[in-house]
Amino acid sequence: MEEQTLPQWRFDDAYVGFEHENFTRSLKSAKDIINKALSLIYSKEFLVKDLAGLYEEGFDKLSSLKAFCRCKMSENTKDEQAIAIKSEIQSEISKLEMIKQEMVAKFSKLSDEEWEKFGLSHWKFYYEEQKNSWSKNLKNKEIFAELEQSSFTPIYAIFTHLNNLIDIKAQDSFGEVKNYSFAKCGGILKGSPDSVLRKNIFNELSKHYEKHAPIYVDALNMLHGFRQAKFKEAKCDIFLPSFEQNKISHEAINAMHSALKKRVSKIREAVTLRAPYLGKERMSACDLLAPSPFSTKAQIPYHQAISTIKSALSEVSEEISGFIDLMLKNRWIEASTRENKAAGAFYTRFNELKQARVFSTYMGTEAHMIQQAHELGHAWHYWIMRDMPSIRTEFPMSLAEVASTFNEAVLREYLKKNADKNSLFNILWQELKSAANFMLHIPVRYSFETEFIKARSSGLVTPKETNEMMKNAWQKWYAGSTQDTEEFLPYFKLHFYKIDQYIYNYPYTVGYLLSQFLIAKFRAKEPNFFEIYKAFLRDTGSMSVDDIIKKHFKKDIKKNEFWIECIDGALGYVEEFKALSKK
């Protein structure tokens, strides 16, 4: 895959660079807005609508500038300037949070007429949430805000720095030995067809993380120690903030995991059915994301991948394929291969400019094509909400994954329709990979992290205890379907070190299962599906997951039955794979 065939994003229609006036002017303006808002608060004589206007303007600017820093840090993980500036922006965001608290306190004095009169009705859902939030009982907020900057925010940077040090040697199937960075290791484990290289990378990473595990455990202890100090001060349950952040009830998450456990034997078949095709009785952890052994060696050119994605999504609506054209035309997609790029893929947006960006490293495989569809789903989800006030576009992670995983499902449905037997096998292989990842691997992460959090509430967690928790979580979900355990997962996966999300795993399973529910509706050609789907997405920033599903689909997600329906939809791929294997 030649680098010049792959799109590289640009920012000349945004902030250009850290020294450019577009960036410096926006940052200065944001600081001025915050100072003005703080002056209003100190004066004690202000209208809440004035403070809300300043907050919204400041939020749009700072959230955009922070997103720009993430973009620059991702295209070059060694960009120290980006890290420093992000820290400066985060400091301003902390002040913005204090302003928001004052604003929300003033909301309590508004009558129903005043909400409308002052043009603040778009804040009402947020206010109602905050009235019952765990954080309302948090005292010493200013002290915690200061400590956050010095002792909490740097944790994610520490994780990044640690993984930037990874430079391991591994041999491929041709006997060639090369050096591999953290990002390259991640890419290989996510889909390299070279089984020897996958195994060697896995083994070398195991050695590296076994040696350095205590440092990562220290970081996790710091992260959860700080959070639990806040939760203790607020006298709230240690898991409540996560469910509140994801706008989903604890009962719904319990029902989802209960349904997954009920079907876990069947779900494990998404792993065990693939093992013989890799020449094994039981699957190795390093092969969980391996491509189909019958996958073509020919690479899928980027333009062909995008054309296929557009054709698939146009069956839902031409509006979606037109949006992809816009993303490409504006050069809002980064897919090139270059040194020092971050691993993985993501979408972000610049609220101030009403623009989206997609980051990835396209390697020409079917898995990478599906990844493009996934991230473009995120971007389109934001795009159809960009006319709203930003507070109504802040959809939780539990709903953020719906459009992305729905895109994946639609793409695979499209690929299956005209596939020959080999191609169909490859597509179903990918379906089984996804099913196992979302319904086994993500629950492993959830089980591990919740156990770590519980243990941390009693004191520091040791590396030995961390390792035991990881093995127990793996056994709970994978059991005998694999021959080994991905023991370095707590140190390798950046999701455990995110400072802006409390538990960054189960929302992926929620999103996947909701997408399976939606794809069933799409397959059934339900009347006005696209209009219902779009209306559903536009409500994701102003309703809880429980309420939005009830409103648009008349379903109760606190009941096991709903999740069983979603899971059984995904398990249909297992039956299709079995039927094809017998032919």
Side-chain angles (χ1 to χ4, degrees):
M1 184 66 57
E2 296 179 9
E3 187 171 334
Q4 61 266 27
T5 66
L6 300 173
Q8 291 189 3
W9 58 18
R10 69 177 188 185
F11 301 103
D12 56 347
D13 60 345
Y15 301 111
V16 188
F18 295 123
E19 309 298 333
H20 195 275
E21 64 175 348
N22 288 8
F23 183 87
T24 57
R25 182 173 58 238
S26 187
L27 181 55
K28 181 182 182 303
S29 177
K31 290 180 177 180
D32 290 343
I33 288 165
I34 286 172
N35 289 333
K36 186 175 180 180
L38 290 172
S39 295
L40 278 181
I41 292 168
Y42 297 146
S43 74
K44 299 187 183 300
E45 295 180 6
F46 61 89
L47 295 174
V48 68
K49 70 180 181 67
D50 295 333
L51 191 61
L54 290 170
Y55 173 84
E56 289 174 10
E57 192 177 355
F59 175 81
D60 282 354
K61 289 180 183 296
L62 288 174
S63 62
S64 300
L65 295 172
K66 183 180 177 181
F68 180 66
C69 287
R70 184 185 185 190
C71 291
K72 301 302 285 184
M73 289 165 65
S74 298
E75 68 181 17
N76 179 9
T77 57
K78 297 182 179 180
D79 188 338
E80 297 294 334
Q81 184 184 22
I83 295 170
I85 292 176
K86 183 183 177 185
S87 178
E88 179 185 356
I89 291 168
Q90 191 62 47
S91 178
E92 296 299 318
I93 289 173
S94 294
K95 297 176 189 176
L96 200 62
E97 283 301 302
M98 292 168 59
I99 292 166
K100 183 166 68 174
Q101 290 164 17
E102 291 289 336
M103 178 182 71
V104 171
K106 288 286 185 182
F107 284 161
S108 64
K109 298 178 173 59
L110 292 177
S111 66
D112 289 342
E113 293 76 18
E114 286 174 324
W115 281 101
E116 295 294 331
K117 177 183 174 183
F118 295 149
L120 295 171
S121 57
H122 57 281
W123 278 97
K124 204 159 189 181
F125 170 73
Y126 179 84
Y127 170 67
E128 293 297 329
E129 278 191 321
Q130 292 305 301
K131 276 201 308 186
N132 303 307
S133 172
W134 69 272
S135 60
K136 74 179 188 301
N137 297 320
L138 181 63
K139 300 174 183 176
N140 302 313
K141 290 180 181 178
E142 293 81 4
I143 294 174
F144 275 111
E146 290 177 12
L147 286 172
E148 186 171 313
Q149 293 308 304
S150 62
S151 306
F152 179 73
T153 300
I155 294 172
Y156 185 79
I158 290 170
F159 170 82
T160 302
H161 290 314
L162 285 171
N163 280 334
N164 280 342
L165 297 175
I166 290 177
D167 184 30
I168 63 175
K169 293 183 185 298
Q171 182 175 297
D172 61 23
S173 56
F174 299 103
E176 187 175 358
V177 177
K178 291 182 181 178
N179 285 59
Y180 295 90
S181 65
F182 171 71
K184 288 184 176 178
C185 288
I188 288 159
L189 291 178
K190 282 181 178 177
S192 170
D194 190 330
S195 60
V196 173
L197 183 58
R198 286 197 309 270
K199 180 180 179 181
N200 289 337
I201 288 288
F202 186 93
N203 289 341
E204 290 303 316
L205 282 174
S206 297
K207 292 176 190 175
H208 174 88
Y209 285 117
E210 183 178 8
K211 181 179 178 181
H212 299 289
I215 305 174
Y216 289 89
V217 175
D218 285 345
L220 289 173
N221 274 313
M222 288 170 63
L223 187 147
H224 289 293
F226 177 84
R227 282 179 172 159
Q228 290 190 25
K230 289 178 72 174
F231 303 158
K232 184 177 181 181
E233 179 74 13
K235 296 181 173 58
C236 82
D237 178 82
I238 54 178
F239 298 113
L240 175 62
S242 175
F243 300 128
E244 185 178 298
Q245 185 178 46
N246 283 291
K247 295 181 172 60
I248 193 166
S249 65
H250 197 169
E251 295 89 339
I253 294 302
N254 284 344
M256 181 182 78
H257 284 110
S258 174
L260 288 167
K261 286 299 290 181
K262 189 172 183 179
R263 291 286 193 265
V264 71
S265 295
K266 196 75 175 173
I267 297 169
R268 287 175 188 147
E269 290 186 33
V271 176
T272 57
L273 286 170
R274 289 181 290 136
Y277 292 97
L278 297 174
K280 297 178 180 180
E281 290 185 14
R282 289 192 297 162
M283 184 76 83
S284 297
C286 67
D287 293 330
L288 284 171
L289 298 177
S292 162
F294 304 126
S295 292
T296 174
K297 302 297 181 185
Q299 299 225 307
I300 305 169
Y302 189 82
H303 67 85
Q304 181 181 326
I306 285 294
S307 178
T308 302
I309 292 168
K310 285 173 54 185
S311 295
L313 293 173
S314 66
E315 295 190 359
V316 180
S317 172
E318 292 289 345
E319 181 180 321
I320 306 177
S321 58
F323 166 71
I324 296 172
D325 285 332
L326 177 74
M327 289 288 290
L328 288 165
K329 178 185 175 184
N330 291 345
R331 293 183 62 187
W332 291 351
I333 298 175
E334 166 61 44
S336 67
T337 56
R338 41 183 156 154
E339 288 298 314
N340 298 326
K341 278 186 73 172
F346 65 84
Y347 121 91
T348 192
R349 84 275 189 101
F350 303 148
N351 287 316
E352 181 183 18
L353 308 172
K354 307 297 183 187
Q355 296 179 6
R357 291 293 190 281
V358 162
F359 174 89
S360 64
T361 301
Y362 184 76
M363 303 296 288
T365 67
E366 187 173 279
H368 285 95
M369 175 170 67
I370 291 168
Q371 183 187 68
Q372 290 293 300
H374 179 101
E375 299 305 333
L376 287 165
H378 283 305
W380 183 71
H381 187 175
Y382 163 69
W383 189 252
I384 63 170
M385 300 175 75
R386 72 191 186 285
D387 61 305
M388 299 177 173
S390 291
I391 190 64
R392 295 198 63 178
T393 69
E394 291 292 300
F395 38 80
M397 277 301 304
S398 49
L399 292 170
E401 293 302 319
V402 175
S404 53
T405 46
F406 177 73
N407 267 19
E408 287 189 37
V410 171
L411 175 58
R412 286 194 285 262
E413 285 286 311
Y414 177 83
L415 292 171
K416 280 196 291 184
K417 281 196 299 187
N418 298 308
D420 57 26
K421 184 177 179 181
N422 267 357
S423 297
L424 183 57
F425 181 94
N426 295 338
I427 295 162
L428 289 172
W429 180 279
Q430 183 65 38
E431 293 285 13
L432 265 57
K433 273 172 56 176
S434 292
N437 189 53
F438 287 113
M439 296 193 288
L440 293 176
H441 203 270
I442 299 293
V444 164
R445 298 182 214 172
Y446 178 76
S447 294
F448 163 76
E449 190 163 14
T450 51
E451 286 305 307
F452 189 99
I453 289 169
K454 289 175 189 174
R456 183 65 183 88
S457 65
S458 301
L460 293 173
V461 183
T462 67
K464 183 179 179 181
E465 289 170 332
T466 303
N467 186 252
E468 284 302 311
M469 289 175 200
M470 183 61 228
K471 287 193 285 190
N472 290 340
W474 193 273
Q475 179 62 25
K476 177 180 178 179
W477 291 100
Y478 281 98
S481 64
T482 62
Q483 59 181 273
D484 56 353
T485 302
E486 193 178 346
E487 292 185 30
F488 59 74
L489 183 62
Y491 322 124
F492 179 75
K493 200 69 187 173
L494 65 83
H495 290 175
F496 292 121
Y497 299 84
K498 286 183 71 69
I499 57 173
D500 57 347
Q501 294 285 332
Y502 290 119
I503 302 177
Y504 193 72
N505 41 56
Y506 69 85
Y508 281 96
T509 302
V510 172
Y512 173 75
L513 293 176
L514 290 181
S515 74
Q516 295 305 308
F517 176 76
L518 288 168
I519 198 68
K521 301 287 184 187
F522 173 64
R523 281 192 203 113
K525 300 187 185 301
E526 293 208 355
N528 304 317
F529 170 78
F530 180 66
E531 288 73 18
I532 294 169
Y533 174 52
K534 192 173 177 181
F536 161 77
L537 292 179
R538 281 177 61 85
D539 274 342
T540 51
S542 54
M543 296 184 76
S544 70
V545 184
D546 302 54
D547 290 342
I548 199 172
I549 297 298
K550 188 167 288 185
K551 173 183 174 181
H552 292 281
F553 301 106
K554 308 294 187 291
K555 297 283 186 176
D556 185 356
I557 68 170
K558 294 184 180 71
K559 300 286 181 62
N560 282 29
E561 291 79 8
F562 171 77
W563 298 107
I564 289 289
E565 180 182 346
C566 300
I567 293 165
D568 286 349
L571 290 177
Y573 305 126
V574 172
E575 296 307 312
E576 285 185 67
F577 189 88
K578 283 182 181 178
L580 185 66
S581 299
K582 290 176 182 178
K583 291 181 181 177

